[in-house]
């Protein structure tokens, strides 16, 4: 017997926290943009530029913490509106815990030049899955961070390197062909647009593998996974 998902979420359930999040974001982003603008003004003293930079960093951290906290609040509101058959989902993630995890994950990713990113991404998914309950059971995310790092290095890093080399060669060829006649902007735009389409094709395996890695959750005695094949996808 097939069971279908249903959702009873309405705007009246979550518009208040959403508007509060929007207002807080605007209240933080506007001063951040003003500080960035002042940093770019000529003739600024090093002390003032450093103060503005530190101010922007603090505001960026504050935005991260607030967004993470509100994500949990909205998830706790929305989860009970989703049902499979006669049973409903529940979510009990805590805003403070989730915000702390996001903040530490972002800082570690920055300090490690992005190499901690897959572990941070995995922790976020695992936290959300482990705090979601259905019919008295909870799931467990089975994706491995090390495996996703390989996908990033091989499926994302190599295509970007290939793309940069090809694009640089094409742009250099256009400039050499133009000579004294000047750069043909229409040719340059065409090459740029085609190169971006080519980059997307190069990244297709990475996108596919990311979805496969993401949909990998053990629940009860079974596993929720993506069984789609690459070329049909």
């Amino acid at each position: 017997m097939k069971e279908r998902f249903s959702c009873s979420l309405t705007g009246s359930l979550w518009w208040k926290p959403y508007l509060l999040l929007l207002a807080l974001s605007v209240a933080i982003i506007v001063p951040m943009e003003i500080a960035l603008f002042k940093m770019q003004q000529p003739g600024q003293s090093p002390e003032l530029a450093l103060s503005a930079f530190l101010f922007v960093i603090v505001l960026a951290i504050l935005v991260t913490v607030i967004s993470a906290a509100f994500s949990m609040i909205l998830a706790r509101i929305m989860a009970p509106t989703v049902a499979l058959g006669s049973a409903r989902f529940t979510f009990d993630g805590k805003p403070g815990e989730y915000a702390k995890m996001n903040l530490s994950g972002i800082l570690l990713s920055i300090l490690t030049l992005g190499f901690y990113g897959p572990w941070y991404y995995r922790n976020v998914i695992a936290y959300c899955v482990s705090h979601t309950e259905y019919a008295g059971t909870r799931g467990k995310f089975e994706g491995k961070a090390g495996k996703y790092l390989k996908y990033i290095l091989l499926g994302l890093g190599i295509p970007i390197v290939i793309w940069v080399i090809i694009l640089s060669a094409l742009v250099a060829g256009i400039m050499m062909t133009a000579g004294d006649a000047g750069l043909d902007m229409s040719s340059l735009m065409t090459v740029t647009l085609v190169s971006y389409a080519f980059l997307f094709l190069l990244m297709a395996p990475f996108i596919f593998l990311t979805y496969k890695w993401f949909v990998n959750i053990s629940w009860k005695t079974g596993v929720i996974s993506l069984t789609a094949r690459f070329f049909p996808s």
Side-chain angles (χ1 to χ4, degrees):
M1 179 181 176
K2 288 186 177 181
E3 292 185 333
R4 298 182 180 274
F5 285 95
S6 61
C7 180
S8 58
L9 179 66
T10 62
S12 60
L13 292 174
W14 65 294
W15 70 269
K16 290 181 180 179
Y18 176 77
L19 287 182
L20 180 58
L21 172 61
L22 189 62
L24 288 174
S25 299
V26 171
I28 296 172
I29 291 174
V30 170
M32 184 188 299
E33 291 295 327
I34 294 174
L36 287 171
F37 177 76
K38 289 183 177 180
M39 287 173 58
Q40 298 170 1
Q41 297 301 304
Q44 294 286 353
S45 66
E47 294 80 7
L48 184 59
L50 179 60
S51 299
F53 175 74
L54 293 176
F55 181 64
V56 169
I57 295 297
V58 171
L59 290 181
I61 292 173
L62 188 58
V63 167
T64 301
V65 171
I66 291 176
S67 298
F70 270 88
S71 295
M72 292 295 97
I73 294 173
L74 295 177
R76 292 170 72 105
I77 293 173
M78 289 185 280
T81 67
V82 179
L84 177 60
S86 58
R88 293 189 175 275
F89 288 84
T90 59
F91 184 80
D92 59 2
K94 296 178 174 58
E97 289 180 355
Y98 191 68
K100 183 179 178 181
M101 182 178 61
N102 275 270
L103 182 58
S104 61
I106 291 173
L107 292 176
L108 285 172
S109 297
I110 293 173
L111 293 174
T112 58
L113 302 179
F115 280 94
Y116 183 74
W119 280 267
Y120 163 50
Y121 190 34
R122 187 210 173 277
N123 290 340
V124 168
I125 299 172
Y127 181 88
C128 294
V129 171
S130 64
H131 284 78
T132 302
E133 184 175 313
Y134 173 76
T137 61
R138 295 173 184 261
K140 179 184 177 183
F141 181 62
E142 301 292 349
K144 305 299 181 184
K147 190 174 185 179
Y148 191 54
L149 179 61
K150 293 179 182 178
Y151 291 163
I152 293 175
L153 295 176
L154 299 177
L156 187 61
I158 292 177
I160 289 178
V161 171
I162 294 173
W163 176 75
V164 169
I165 293 173
I166 294 175
L167 180 60
S168 300
L170 290 173
V171 172
I174 292 174
M175 294 177 67
M176 292 177 62
T177 303
D180 297 333
L183 189 62
D184 185 357
M185 294 304 297
S186 62
S187 298
L188 183 60
M189 286 295 296
T190 301
V191 168
T192 303
L193 291 174
V194 172
S195 68
Y196 275 110
F198 181 61
L199 175 63
F200 179 77
L201 291 176
L202 288 175
M203 290 175 57
F206 170 72
I207 297 171
F208 175 76
L209 290 173
T210 296
Y211 278 116
K212 292 272 288 186
W213 178 82
F214 179 79
V215 186
N216 187 8
I217 300 169
S218 60
W219 208 299
K220 291 186 178 180
T221 57
V223 176
I224 302 172
S225 61
L226 183 65
T227 59
R229 293 177 296 163
F230 174 70
F231 286 105
S233 299

